[in-house]
Amino acid sequence: MEGIRDLLKQSLGQTLDSLRDEDKLAAAWPVVCGRTMAERGTVMGYEHGVLRVQVENRVWLQQLMSMREQLAREMTRISGIRVSEIHFEMKR
């Protein structure tokens, strides 16, 4: 199963080439996080290496913040866009 997931991640990275950076990151988000986590956070913007993600509640905010570095590395790897930092914000 892990091999299939890696293959899908690599394939997604290759098909994202024609999209804007923010769209590439939004498309990569569910692949990086998994469906359940991705449904709790929405990519809102990207500028100068900083990805902004809006999160639905404090529980998911804490969960995602604890994984911030890992998520940034995977977002960079999958999307091909350098993500040096992820800023999470609560949904209003």
Side-chain angles (χ1 to χ4, degrees):
M1 186 66 148
E2 196 67 29
I4 292 172
R5 186 174 183 162
D6 288 341
L7 180 62
L8 288 172
K9 285 180 180 180
Q10 181 181 14
S11 176
L12 176 62
Q14 293 169 353
T15 61
L16 294 176
D17 287 340
S18 64
L19 300 175
R20 293 179 315 128
D21 288 353
E22 189 174 323
D23 294 333
K24 289 178 188 180
L25 291 162
W29 180 248
V31 175
V32 169
C33 298
R35 191 185 78 187
T36 300
M37 234 186 250
E39 289 174 352
R40 306 309 192 267
T42 304
V43 171
M44 300 303 291
Y46 173 79
E47 191 172 345
H48 306 295
V50 178
L51 180 65
R52 288 186 310 110
V53 176
Q54 189 176 66
V55 182
E56 71 177 32
N57 64 45
R58 288 203 183 282
V59 173
W60 283 104
L61 177 69
Q62 290 175 336
Q63 177 67 32
L64 288 166
M65 285 182 69
S66 73
M67 301 175 65
R68 179 182 293 182
E69 290 179 20
Q70 176 186 353
L71 293 171
R73 278 193 309 272
E74 285 298 299
M75 288 297 287
T76 298
R77 188 173 75 81
I78 299 302
S79 69
I81 309 285
R82 183 184 64 85
V83 176
S84 58
E85 203 172 324
I86 301 178
H87 287 188
F88 295 103
E89 54 194 54
M90 287 289 295
K91 186 175 183 178
R92 298 176 195 173

